[in-house]
Amino acid sequence: MTTLPPSSSNGGQQASSGFQRLHPGVQKWIWQQKWPALRPIQEDAIPPILVGQQDVIISAATAGGKTEAAFLPIFSRLKDATRAGIGTLCISPLKALINDQFRRLSAIGEQLDIAVTPWHGDIDAGRKKRLLKQPSGILIITPESLEALFVNHGPDMTAFFQGLNYLVIDELHAFIGSERGKQLQSLMHRVEQVIRRKVPRIGLSATIGDMGLAAEFLRPGRADQVNLVISEEEGQEIQLQVRGYRKVEPDLEKGLNLGSEVETEQTGDSEDEIDIAAHLFRVLRTETNLIFINSRSAVEAYTDRLRRLSEQQRVPNEFFPHHGSLSKDLREEAEQTLKGDQPANVICTTTLEMGIDVGAVKSIAQVGAPFSVSSTRQRLGRSGRQAGDPAIVRFYISEPEVTPTTPQPDTLHPALVQTIAIVNLMVFKRWCEPPIVTKLHLSTLIQQVLSLIAQYGGVNASQLYQVLCQTGAFRQVTQEMFIKLLRQLGAKDLVQQTHDGVLILGLKGERLVNHYSFYTAFQTPDEYRIVTRGNMLGTLPITSPLFEGMYLIFAGRRWKVLAVDAERKVVDVTRAAAGRVPRFSGDAGFIHDKIRQEMYRIYRADDAPTFLDKTAVDLLREGRENFCRLALDNRCWAKNGKHTLLFCWMGSQVVNTICLLLRTQGLDVGMEGIAILVRDISPERLLEKLEVLVESGPADAVELAAIVEDKVGEKHDCFLSEELLCWNYASSFLDSQGAWDTLKRLTESNN
Amino acid sequence: MTAGTKIKAKDRDAVIQSLRAGVVPRSGQHLIQVGRAQELDALIKDIDRIGDGGSAIRFVIGEYGSGKTFFLALVRAIALQKKLVTVHADLTPDRRLHASKGQARSLYAELMRNLSTRAKPDGGALSSVVEKFVSSALAEARSRQATPEVIIRERLDHLSEMVGGYDFAEIIAAYWRGHDTGDDVLKSNAVRWLRGEFSTKTDAKKALGVRIIVDDANFYDQLKLFAQFVRLAGYEGFVICLDELVNLYKLANTQARKSNYEQILRILNDSLQGTADGLGFVLGGTPEFLMDTRKGLYSYEALQSRLAENTFAGDGIVDFSHPVIRLASLSQEDLYVLLTKIRHVFFTGNVDAYLISDVEVQGFMQHCFQRVGEAYFRTPRNTITAFINLLAVLEQNPGVSVENLIGKVTIETEQNPDLLPFEQEEDDTPVSDPTLADPGETEADDDLASFKL
C-alpha cells in the first residue's frame, strides 16, 4: 500500500498536484487501486477537465489510461455538482465497448454514489425508462441511440440534459471523416442547442500523427482552442507480419493435400489459396480471431476450405462466415460465438467490420491488400485489448507468378507494395487519412433534417438551415443547395409544409423516421450485380465511378460497360477484346494520395522491411526489378500492345477525375489496379491529349460528375436529384485541382 | 362604437399588456371584439343548450393567426357569465388526447389547473367548486336532519353508474371527511387527486384509500364525471376548450396520431349522441389539421364522414349548425376597426387623448402592407404588437411625429426561440437577427425566410 506524497513535500515533485485537486471520494478510490502514482497523461488531463472551460483531447495507445484520465476529474466534478439531469454524456461507437466502459466506470460510480447507465440496442427498456424519469450521472450511449432519444423524446431533452457538464467522445479517431462521424458532429451540436450553452467536449483518441484533425473534428472551426493532452508513453506492442504467396494458375490440378488423403474435388483451388488456408488453420485455431477478406465470394471460399480442413483433421469447426449477403441468423450465429468462451474465428468482409460488435480478439488476419490506413488501424485496435497484450496482425498477400504472359501491372506486385506502404504509414509515420473537408455528406444531412423536424414537431426552413448548417456540422452546404435539397425532399414526400410555412414530415418521411433503421446514418454498401446478356456473372463491390463505355475487370476477364442501373445496382456488360487481365484490380476501396506516393517511394528504394517473410521479400525484389524494366522510374506510362497504361501514383480522387477527363476527350478507359488503361492509343498520342487537358485548366468537377452513373452510394442518396447527386459526388469523389496538378506534373516530367 | 364609455384601468392594462405580448387577454375581450357576430351567436346557442342539459361540440377552424384563440377566449368569457364552469388548455407535443407516457394525464392536469368559474375567472377554481358542492350538501343535510355524508352519497349515487364514478364519490367523501374533521391534508389530497396530480396508485392508496388514479387511459371518463359533478354542485354546465390541435397533426408517430384522432371521434360521438350531458367541447385548429386527407382529421375515415361540409353551404350560404365553424380571416376593414378599438382602449376610452388620428392609422396599415403584404391583416398578431408599440412610444415621447415612427415599424417573423443560435459567431457568418431592419438581409436569407415548397 503506497501513499502519494503530499503536494507540499520537498523538491520538485508536483506529480501529485492533480491528485490533490480531485474530490476526496475519488482520491479514496484511487488509493484502493494501489497505483503507485498517477500516469503522466492523467496528471496532465486533470486540471483542464476540472476547470471545465476548454475542450480537451486525450491521446494515448490502447490501455494507456485514457479512460481514467478523463473520468477521474469528471467524477470529481459530478460529485460537487447539484443540477438535475445527466451530468456527463459519453458517446462510443460499439455496444461491446460501451459494455466494457460501463463495467469499469460503474465500479467507481458505485463507490461515489453516481449513477452510470449504458444505453444501446441491447439494454432493456425498463432501465431506459427509469433513467428517463430520473436522469442523473453518466450516460454511455451510441450515436444511433442518441439519435433515437432526440426523435422519440424531443420535448424532454432540455430537461434531460440541462445539468450537462461534459460531453465525452470515446474512440474519436474511429469517427473522423465518415458519415457516422458527421452524424456525431451534428448530434453534439444539437445537444448544445437544446440546452442553449456550450459544453466542454472531451475526446479520447488513439495516437494519430496529426492531432489537428482530431481537434477540428471535435470542435469544428475552433480547433486551435482545443487542449491536446498527448501521451508520450510507448503504445501497445505490435506484432505484424506480411506473408507473401505466389499464385500459380489453377490449370495445374492440385487439390487439398493433407498427408495421405488427396482430395481433388475442388480443382479450382490454387496452391496459394491452399497454403494460406493451411497457415490460417494452423495459427488461428484454438483462439478467437478475426479474418478479413475483400469480397463475399472469397469469404465463402475460405470458410469452406477451413471447414473442410477441420473435418479432415477431425476437430470441431471454429470458422464462421459473416458478410452482407448472409441471412441474419447466420450472422448472429457468428457474432454469438465470438462473444462466447469457445474459440471462434470469424471470416468477414472488410466492409462489415462495424457490424462485428465484439470486444477483444487475439489477432487479426487479412487476406488481400488493405486500402486504408485508418480502417487497418481500427482493425488492429481490435486485437489485444487487455493491458500488456500485443496487437497481432498478419497479412496474406498473394501475387501471381510472373511469366511472359503476365499483365504488366501485375508484374509490379502492387498488392504487396500497397500493403507495405500502408504498414509504413500506419506504424512508422503514425499517419491517418484526413477527412475530406469539402465532402457534403448530403445523405446524413437528409437524416438530420428529418430528425430535427421529428424532434420539434415542425421547423421552418431558415431555422433548419441555421441549426444544421450555419452553426452546426454541415458548414459546406450553401443556402442555395439547402433550398434545392428541401424542395427535393418535398417532391419525394419526405417533408411537407403547413400553411404557416413550418416544415413537417410527409407520409413517406414518417414511415422512414418511424422505422428502427432510421437512426443509423451509414449503410454497408451493396455489391453490384454484373450481368451480361441476361446472365448473372456475380457480384462486385464498386467504389470507383461507373460510366457507360468504361472497362471493368471481373472474374479474371475484361468487360465493357453497356449500361448501369443505379437503383437496382446492376451493371450490364459485354466481353471486351481479349488480353490478359491483371489480378489486382484494386477496386476494394478508396485510396488516399499518400499511399500511392509511398508505394512509388518503395519501388524506387532498395531496403526490405523486416516484417516481410521470405517469399514476400522475393516478391518485393521482383516487383522492383520489373518496375525498372518498365522504366517507370523515369516515365509515367508503359506501352501495352495497342494500348497505354498511365501511372499517376495518386489516390482515388485524382485517378477517378483523370479517368473522367480522359473520357471527355473521347478515350476509352478502364481502371486497372494502380494504373489507368487507355485503349487504342500510343503513349505519344496520350501525352498529347494530356497536354490538351492541362492547357484548358482545371475542369469543373460537378460537370464531370454528370458522366458518372453510380452516384448513389450512401443511405439517403436515393432521394437526391441529379443535380444534388452531382454536387455530392463531386465533393466526395473527385479532385479537379489535384488532377490538373498531377497531369501538369506528368506532362512536364516527360518533356 | 361607444366613444364615451368608461374603461376600467384594470381591463385596459390586461388588454394592452396581453396584446403586446402576442397573447389573448383574459378579460376585457369584448372591448376589442370585431366581426364574427353570426359565429358567436351559434356558440351562444350551444352554451344555452349545454345549460339546459344538452351537449355540444364545435371545431373552430381558422388560419394560423386569424384570431381563433381570441374567439375561444371570448366563448369562455360568455360561458362564465352564464354560470357555467370552463376549463381550457393548449395541446403541445407533451399534452395530447391519447398517450401512454403520461401526456394525456398532463393535458388533464393543465385543464384542471385552468378551471374557472364566474367568481374566479382566472383558473384555480377547482377547490371552490368542490367546496360549493360540499356546503350545499351540508345545507341540505341540516334542513333534512340527516348526516351530510349520507346526502353526499345520495347525490353522487347516479354517478356510480358511470365509469369510475364510485371512486369519484369516494374522493368527494374524503374531502368531506377532511372538511369535517379539520384535516386540511386530506382535503388538499382530495383536490390533488381531482387535479390528476397523483402519478402512482400506491400514493393515492396511502393518501386517500382509493386504488385508481387519473391516468392516460381514463382521463376522458374523469372529465365526463366532472361535468356531472359541477351540475350537482349547482353550476349550469361544463365547457372544455382545447386549442392548438395542430400539434396532433404535427405528431411524427403515425400510430400516436391515429389514436388521438380516435379519441376525438369518441368525443364527437358522445356529444352528437347526447350521452355526455351538460358537457361541451370547443376545439381550435387550422384548416389543414381538419382537411389534409393524409394526415389531418379527414384522413380518419369515420371523422371525415361526420365532419364533411354541408353540400348546400358555401359561397355565402352559411350553416352554423354544423360542428365545424370556419373563421374567415379578418378583412382589412375589420383590422381597421380593431386598431381603432385598440386605440380607444389604450387611451382609456378618452377620445380627446388620442395621439393618432384615423388617417394616421390608415397610414400605418399602408406601411404594414408594403412590408409584409397581405399577411399583415390575415395574421394580425404581429401587426397589433407593432401598433401598440407605436402607441406606447407616442405616449411617452410627445414631440415625435407619427410619420417618422411609422417609417421605422418592422413586423417580426415567427421563430421558435429554442432554435435561435445560442452564441454569437465570431467569424463572418452573420446571425440572422429578426429585429434588424430590412436592408441588411441578403436575397438568399429572404428565400429561406419565405421558403415555400
Side-chain angles (χ1 to χ4, degrees):
Chain A
M1 184 65 200
T2 55
T3 49
L4 290 164
S7 56
S8 57
S9 79
N10 49 351
Q13 205 169 25
Q14 298 181 355
S16 61
S17 65
F19 178 82
Q20 293 299 329
R21 296 172 63 166
L22 293 174
H23 188 275
V26 179
Q27 291 177 341
K28 184 172 164 197
W29 182 84
I30 295 176
W31 268 327
Q32 288 173 347
Q33 306 312 305
K34 303 199 195 330
W35 295 344
L38 286 181
R39 296 165 86 154
I41 199 174
Q42 290 157 356
E43 287 285 354
D44 289 338
I46 290 177
I49 295 182
L50 277 182
V51 169
Q53 296 293 335
Q54 253 187 327
D55 300 321
V56 179
I57 292 188
I58 303 177
S59 163
T62 315
K66 291 195 289 285
T67 308
E68 286 78 16
F71 278 97
L72 290 176
I74 288 178
F75 270 116
S76 291
R77 259 297 278 284
L78 288 185
K79 247 345 236 182
D80 293 327
T82 46
R83 286 168 83 160
I86 299 288
T88 297
L89 176 65
C90 177
I91 307 179
S92 185
L94 291 176
K95 292 187 269 199
L97 289 176
I98 293 183
N99 291 341
D100 280 343
Q101 200 74 300
F102 169 68
R103 264 192 293 276
R104 291 156 79 181
L105 295 178
S106 60
I108 314 180
E110 258 169 43
Q111 195 160 58
L112 296 171
D113 206 22
I114 294 179
V116 179
T117 313
W119 188 306
H120 53 66
D122 291 346
I123 300 291
D124 65 284
R127 196 163 186 183
K128 293 179 181 173
K129 208 164 159 190
R130 275 198 299 279
L131 189 71
L132 278 172
K133 264 201 191 143
Q134 299 252 357
S136 82
I138 300 180
L139 176 64
I140 321 178
I141 195 171
T142 57
E144 288 75 23
S145 291
L146 184 58
E147 189 83 65
L149 267 180
F150 274 115
V151 168
N152 296 324
H153 301 277
D156 302 330
M157 288 290 99
T158 308
F160 196 66
F161 287 123
Q162 60 167 323
L164 200 66
N165 296 110
Y166 299 102
L167 209 163
V168 180
I169 310 292
D170 198 10
E171 309 284 317
L172 184 70
H173 55 281
F175 287 110
I176 301 178
S178 62
E179 292 295 324
R180 205 174 184 214
K182 207 53 168 171
Q183 179 192 23
L184 178 61
Q185 283 182 318
S186 188
L187 286 171
M188 289 197 282
H189 181 68
R190 282 164 71 185
V191 168
E192 291 183 346
Q193 180 75 44
V194 99
I195 54 177
R196 302 195 63 74
R197 64 185 162 90
K198 264 168 84 159
V199 175
R201 297 181 187 176
I202 302 178
L204 305 179
S205 166
T207 43
I208 56 175
D210 183 0
M211 292 307 296
L213 291 178
E216 178 65 23
F217 177 82
L218 188 65
R219 184 70 76 173
R222 297 261 190 278
D224 50 334
Q225 293 170 9
V226 175
N227 191 331
L228 298 173
V229 177
I230 303 180
S231 164
E232 305 293 327
E233 285 180 23
E234 274 291 304
Q236 147 194 70
E237 189 195 341
I238 301 180
Q239 292 178 2
L240 187 152
Q241 187 183 46
V242 176
R243 304 180 61 83
Y245 292 85
R246 283 185 203 280
K247 186 174 194 69
V248 179
E249 287 314 298
D251 332 283
L252 302 112
E253 283 175 18
K254 269 202 180 164
L256 286 171
N257 194 345
L258 302 154
S260 50
E261 274 207 292
V262 176
E263 289 223 56
T264 49
E265 43 177 357
Q266 292 284 323
T267 49
D269 273 6
S270 52
E271 190 178 329
D272 60 327
E273 286 165 353
I274 299 169
D275 288 342
I276 293 177
H279 191 265
L280 285 171
F281 186 78
R282 208 184 70 215
V283 300
L284 297 185
R285 247 180 41 80
T286 71
E287 296 280 2
T288 298
N289 304 286
L290 285 176
I291 303 163
F292 291 94
I293 311 189
N294 286 342
S295 82
R296 295 175 191 182
S297 49
V299 169
E300 293 286 344
Y302 273 96
T303 315
D304 197 43
R305 283 178 207 122
L306 289 160
R307 279 207 171 130
R308 277 185 292 127
L309 281 172
S310 307
E311 266 170 34
Q312 279 155 359
Q313 302 245 321
R314 301 204 213 289
V315 286
N317 173 44
E318 293 166 11
F319 298 94
F320 304 92
H322 193 302
H323 60 71
S325 300
L326 280 183
S327 71
K328 192 160 168 244
D329 295 336
L330 287 174
R331 280 185 276 145
E332 273 173 18
E333 186 193 344
E335 285 175 30
Q336 283 304 104
T337 31
L338 261 184
K339 290 183 197 174
D341 294 324
Q342 300 294 68
N345 291 285
V346 172
I347 307 168
C348 50
T349 46
T350 49
T351 51
L352 205 57
E353 53 188 323
M354 287 311 266
I356 309 278
D357 192 335
V358 288
V361 296
K362 180 130 197 291
S363 79
I364 305 288
Q366 169 135 359
V367 179
F371 56 89
S372 137
V373 173
S374 26
S375 59
T376 310
R377 172 185 285 110
Q378 247 143 268
R379 264 170 248 163
L380 193 60
R382 303 272 211 143
S383 119
R385 294 194 82 89
Q386 265 83 43
D389 280 358
I392 305 176
V393 61
R394 296 182 178 87
F395 292 94
Y396 295 82
I397 309 296
S398 171
E399 289 284 4
E401 192 178 25
V402 176
T403 67
T405 53
T406 309
Q408 285 165 325
D410 278 345
T411 63
L412 301 174
H413 297 319
L416 177 63
V417 179
Q418 187 167 306
T419 310
I420 299 174
I422 286 181
V423 170
N424 283 347
L425 290 171
M426 180 176 75
V427 176
F428 300 113
K429 303 243 178 72
R430 301 266 178 107
W431 181 80
C432 167
E433 279 89 357
I436 303 172
V437 285
T438 51
K439 198 166 177 188
L440 290 173
H441 296 277
L442 288 185
S443 167
T444 307
L445 179 58
I446 292 178
Q447 184 215 34
Q448 291 298 300
V449 166
L450 296 177
S451 175
L452 202 65
I453 292 178
Q455 181 188 346
Y456 285 99
V459 185
N460 68 35
S462 70
Q463 289 199 298
L464 271 176
Y465 184 70
Q466 218 166 57
V467 173
L468 291 176
C469 305
Q470 261 180 329
T471 54
F474 297 91
R475 297 187 179 206
Q476 282 70 34
V477 179
T478 62
Q479 274 191 6
E480 183 201 352
M481 233 182 258
F482 192 74
I483 290 176
K484 289 208 163 110
L485 181 75
L486 287 182
R487 291 237 157 77
Q488 185 65 16
L489 294 182
K492 295 271 181 175
D493 197 22
L494 291 176
V495 302
Q496 62 186 64
Q497 196 171 26
T498 60
H499 285 200
D500 49 319
V502 171
L503 291 168
I504 55 174
L505 294 177
L507 279 186
K508 204 160 178 189
E510 265 183 26
R511 272 204 295 277
L512 208 63
V513 171
N514 288 337
H515 194 262
Y516 67 85
S517 66
F518 172 71
Y519 314 117
T520 318
F522 64 95
Q523 67 181 4
T524 49
D526 253 332
E527 297 189 352
Y528 270 75
R529 293 208 309 279
I530 317 286
V531 304
T532 182
R533 280 199 286 246
N535 297 326
M536 182 158 121
L537 297 173
T539 64
L540 190 65
I542 304 241
T543 47
S544 44
L546 277 178
F547 47 89
E548 277 179 37
M550 77 176 262
Y551 284 83
L552 189 64
I553 296 176
F554 183 74
R557 296 202 170 93
R558 193 172 281 121
W559 308 84
K560 184 166 180 167
V561 173
L562 294 175
V564 178
D565 185 343
E567 264 184 53
R568 286 193 214 92
K569 298 249 192 280
V570 175
V571 188
D572 196 14
V573 300
T574 181
R575 281 296 297 276
R580 298 307 298 258
V581 160
R583 286 206 58 239
F584 184 60
S585 63
D587 208 23
F590 204 76
I591 300 223
H592 191 272
D593 293 337
K594 214 154 153 112
I595 297 177
R596 291 278 185 249
Q597 287 162 351
E598 175 69 10
M599 285 174 70
Y600 185 65
R601 189 198 67 79
I602 293 173
Y603 278 117
R604 301 186 67 172
D606 48 18
D607 57 311
T610 48
F611 49 81
L612 299 181
D613 77 337
K614 225 164 60 67
T615 323
V617 171
D618 263 349
L619 288 169
L620 178 61
R621 189 184 39 77
E622 252 178 47
R624 283 173 168 156
E625 281 170 10
N626 291 321
F627 183 83
C628 291
R629 196 174 320 133
L630 289 174
L632 287 172
D633 45 348
N634 288 328
R635 314 194 288 229
C636 63
W637 52 265
K639 207 156 149 54
N640 185 328
K642 278 194 300 173
H643 322 296
T644 302
L645 285 166
L646 183 65
F647 290 84
C648 306
W649 303 111
M650 292 296 279
S652 300
Q653 273 188 310
V654 168
V655 166
N656 289 345
T657 313
I658 293 182
C659 268
L660 293 173
L661 282 171
L662 292 172
R663 185 95 187 115
T664 61
Q665 294 284 306
L667 296 170
D668 279 338
V669 291
M671 255 162 299
E672 313 230 327
I674 52 175
I676 302 176
L677 179 73
V678 192
R679 295 178 63 85
D680 300 315
I681 192 170
S682 71
E684 296 75 28
R685 286 282 327 279
L686 178 60
L687 284 171
E688 280 168 27
K689 293 272 186 182
L690 294 183
E691 275 163 25
V692 168
L693 284 169
V694 170
E695 259 156 56
S696 31
D700 182 349
V702 178
E703 269 174 34
L704 284 179
I707 307 176
V708 179
E709 304 275 348
D710 64 326
K711 294 193 277 272
V712 172
E714 297 293 346
K715 193 173 185 199
H716 302 288
D717 279 349
C718 50
F719 297 115
L720 296 173
S721 65
E722 176 65 20
E723 190 186 10
L724 288 167
L725 279 173
C726 286
W727 267 332
N728 197 33
Y729 191 83
S731 78
S732 322
F733 290 98
L734 302 179
D735 179 2
S736 178
Q737 185 64 45
W740 187 81
D741 289 337
T742 306
L743 289 177
K744 192 150 177 287
R745 177 170 53 82
L746 294 179
T747 49
E748 274 166 13
S749 64
N750 275 276
N751 284 352
Chain B
M1 243 263 293
T2 45
T5 39
K6 276 275 270 302
I7 296 175
K8 289 189 270 193
K10 183 180 119 187
D11 281 346
R12 181 252 182 205
D13 287 338
V15 169
I16 296 298
Q17 276 162 15
S18 320
L19 288 181
R20 206 169 190 178
V23 297
V24 170
R26 285 223 260 221
S27 61
Q29 293 103 353
H30 61 282
L31 296 169
I32 49 174
Q33 205 264 313
V34 171
R36 312 234 165 105
Q38 281 177 307
E39 288 89 337
L40 210 50
D41 272 340
L43 260 300
I44 292 175
K45 282 207 199 71
D46 278 349
I47 294 173
D48 289 335
R49 187 164 62 241
I50 296 172
D52 284 336
S55 57
I57 179 166
R58 291 284 185 176
F59 291 85
V60 177
I61 301 293
E63 274 295 357
Y64 178 74
S66 59
K68 269 190 317 296
T69 311
F70 181 81
F71 187 77
L72 259 57
L74 199 52
V75 167
R76 266 207 318 278
I78 295 175
L80 285 176
Q81 284 304 314
K82 292 183 183 265
K83 296 200 263 191
L84 281 81
V85 173
T86 70
V87 291
H88 67 275
D90 285 353
L91 263 61
T92 67
D94 256 344
R95 294 194 218 124
R96 305 178 193 164
L97 290 171
H98 181 277
S100 50
K101 291 194 212 132
Q103 291 103 324
R105 183 167 66 81
S106 101
L107 177 65
Y108 177 83
E110 180 74 5
L111 283 169
M112 291 319 223
R113 251 198 300 279
N114 290 332
L115 195 146
S116 313
T117 58
R118 189 164 71 166
K120 271 192 167 180
D122 289 332
L126 178 57
S127 13
S128 347
V129 171
V130 181
E131 193 66 48
K132 187 162 178 215
F133 176 83
V134 164
S135 333
S136 76
L138 251 180
E140 188 180 333
R142 245 179 258 128
S143 68
R144 279 174 41 183
Q145 304 286 332
T147 56
E149 187 121 4
V150 164
I151 303 292
I152 289 179
R153 294 235 180 252
E154 235 179 69
R155 284 191 176 188
L156 295 178
D157 189 37
H158 90 278
L159 275 189
S160 64
E161 284 159 17
M162 295 174 64
V163 178
Y166 185 75
D167 291 285
F168 189 87
E170 281 297 318
I171 298 293
I172 305 298
Y175 185 91
W176 157 249
R177 278 201 308 279
H179 180 99
D180 195 33
T181 58
D183 185 350
D184 281 331
V185 175
L186 188 56
K187 267 173 76 172
S188 74
N189 276 340
V191 171
R192 279 182 59 213
W193 189 98
L194 288 172
R195 277 215 287 261
E197 285 174 20
F198 277 100
S199 51
T200 63
K201 297 186 189 171
T202 24
D203 290 342
K205 183 113 194 334
K206 248 192 306 190
L208 296 160
V210 287
R211 294 175 84 240
I212 68 166
I213 49 167
V214 181
D215 60 19
D216 287 343
N218 65 17
F219 91 101
Y220 176 53
D221 299 313
Q222 288 297 325
L223 284 175
K224 285 198 281 194
L225 277 172
F226 207 83
Q228 299 301 312
F229 179 70
V230 301
R231 300 187 67 210
L232 292 170
Y235 293 95
E236 293 295 314
F238 193 52
V239 174
I240 302 179
C241 291
L242 294 173
D243 203 2
E244 305 296 351
L245 256 64
V246 73
N247 278 298
L248 296 182
Y249 175 70
K250 288 186 185 171
L251 277 178
N253 189 322
T254 323
Q255 190 49 48
R257 202 175 48 243
K258 283 210 170 67
S259 317
N260 275 276
Y261 287 175
E262 260 175 40
Q263 187 74 298
I264 293 183
L265 178 63
R266 218 181 130 203
I267 295 174
L268 186 62
N269 284 341
D270 284 344
S271 289
L272 296 179
Q273 289 170 340
T275 46
D277 296 343
L279 175 57
F281 273 92
V282 187
L283 309 170
T286 55
E288 60 208 345
F289 157 72
L290 178 71
M291 299 197 308
D292 188 338
T293 49
R294 299 181 329 147
K295 286 178 76 167
L297 284 188
Y298 275 16
S299 69
Y300 202 79
E301 191 60 52
L303 282 171
Q304 182 179 25
S305 50
R306 282 167 182 66
L307 296 177
E309 309 278 281
N310 184 334
T311 46
F312 297 111
D315 286 340
I317 303 175
V318 295
D319 172 18
F320 287 114
S321 62
H322 189 270
V324 174
I325 285 195
R326 287 179 184 280
L327 291 184
S329 307
L330 289 183
S331 65
Q332 292 202 70
E333 294 72 24
D334 289 333
L335 183 67
Y336 175 70
V337 176
L338 176 57
L339 290 179
T340 54
K341 286 201 175 184
I342 291 177
R343 177 186 60 180
H344 190 67
V345 170
F346 190 90
F347 295 109
T348 335
N350 190 348
V351 181
D352 300 322
Y354 286 1
L355 290 173
I356 182 170
S357 68
D358 290 352
V359 172
E360 284 162 343
V361 172
Q362 286 165 14
F364 171 79
M365 289 169 61
Q366 183 65 18
H367 175 85
C368 291
F369 179 69
Q370 281 165 355
R371 269 304 160 82
V372 291
E374 291 193 342
Y376 91 94
F377 64 86
R378 290 205 187 286
T379 52
R381 178 184 295 131
N382 293 329
T383 310
I384 293 173
T385 310
F387 185 67
I388 294 182
N389 287 338
L390 176 68
L391 293 179
V393 168
L394 279 175
E395 188 185 35
Q396 294 170 46
N397 299 283
V400 184
S401 92
V402 180
E403 282 88 41
N404 281 352
L405 286 180
I406 288 181
K408 295 207 192 111
V409 160
T410 57
I411 314 279
E412 290 187 16
T413 49
E414 292 290 320
Q415 301 263 22
N416 181 345
D418 287 336
L419 289 174
L420 289 173
F422 54 88
E423 53 171 10
Q424 280 300 330
E425 294 286 322
E426 280 136 31
D427 55 12
D428 50 342
T429 43
V431 172
S432 75
D433 185 348
T435 56
L436 279 179
D438 202 19
E441 290 180 46
T442 62
E443 248 189 45
D445 272 345
D446 271 339
D447 284 344
L448 271 180
S450 59
F451 174 76
K452 290 277 174 272
L453 265 183

